[in-house]
Amino acid sequence: MVRRLRSGGKANLDQWRIDSDEAFEIAKAPIDYVSLQRWHLPQLHDLLTKIFWPGIDVSDSLNYLPEKCTVVAVYRRLVVGAAFLSSPEEAYLTYLVVRPGWELANIARNMLYFIIMANPRRDITLHVSANNPAMLLYNKFGFKAEEFIVGFYDDYLPKESRACKNAFRLRLRR
């Protein structure tokens, strides 16, 4: 289409038609990985509520060196994923979340990589549900299970929830 615009010529409707492959090329945009910013918060709180549970507030992450403790994946102005460390001192991965429908874009892998690289020489710990497929991703990065905790998510998930309430505590030793 750009070539057609530059070449000039007669303006007829066929000249301006865009086939589906060309439309996809025009619509594509990169996924940017940035530190947490205030404008991300409404989308993040909504995403965390949908994926985990209500009441999660990550606003305080703006106070703990967001460039070391947060990674937000953004497609245009849509937040498609995020990863949070509790603080640079503790290096506990509190949340790693990807918007539904974006799971195959390697967003979780990229965010985990950025968090690890931003915190060299720091052990990173996390808890993950016993049946969460993210366990495979953590293992690929070298995280090892240190403990199995029965009922870890009891206080977070509703009693009627069918989600697994047991968790592994994992650690990446540096």
Side-chain angles (χ1 to χ4, degrees):
M1 183 171 125
V2 173
R3 279 188 302 248
R4 283 185 272 171
L5 288 172
R6 289 186 182 143
S7 67
K10 294 183 181 177
N12 65 40
L13 292 178
D14 288 333
Q15 181 179 3
W16 302 106
R17 291 210 167 114
I18 300 172
D19 63 26
S20 60
D21 290 339
E22 204 170 18
F24 179 73
E25 287 299 316
I26 293 168
K28 275 198 306 190
I31 297 173
D32 295 314
Y33 296 89
V34 298
S35 299
L36 178 65
Q37 298 168 25
R38 191 161 303 284
W39 72 267
H40 297 138
L41 291 173
Q43 289 185 61
L44 283 170
H45 290 148
D46 182 56
L47 180 59
L48 291 166
T49 295
K50 288 177 180 168
I51 301 299
F52 294 110
W53 49 81
I56 297 173
D57 184 356
V58 294
S59 303
D60 62 340
S61 296
L62 289 166
N63 303 327
Y64 298 112
L65 296 171
E67 61 280 357
K68 291 181 72 75
C69 297
T70 66
V71 178
V72 180
V74 181
Y75 177 77
R76 297 191 173 164
R77 301 265 311 159
L78 177 68
V79 172
V80 294
F84 295 90
L85 286 183
S86 57
S87 73
E89 295 81 31
E90 190 177 348
Y92 176 80
L93 187 67
T94 52
Y95 303 106
L96 178 66
V97 63
V98 174
R99 183 175 293 279
W102 291 82
E103 297 89 347
L104 300 179
N106 291 318
I107 294 169
R109 183 196 69 189
N110 293 338
M111 291 186 305
L112 187 56
Y113 174 80
F114 287 133
I115 286 286
I116 291 168
M117 296 309 290
N119 294 276
R121 298 177 299 279
R122 305 245 353 125
D123 284 7
I124 297 175
T125 59
L126 62 94
H127 287 90
V128 61
S129 179
N131 64 350
N132 189 329
M135 184 74 129
L136 298 171
L137 173 67
Y138 297 132
N139 285 331
K140 285 180 184 177
F141 275 90
F143 284 83
K144 303 292 184 208
E146 291 188 335
E147 182 180 11
F148 181 76
I149 305 164
V150 175
F152 179 80
Y153 293 107
D154 282 345
D155 293 337
Y156 304 101
L157 297 171
K159 298 269 185 245
E160 65 278 359
S161 174
R162 299 182 67 197
C164 180
K165 295 178 182 168
N166 304 323
F168 286 100
R169 187 182 69 189
L170 304 180
R171 179 180 305 272
L172 175 63
R173 293 205 181 272
R174 308 293 290 279

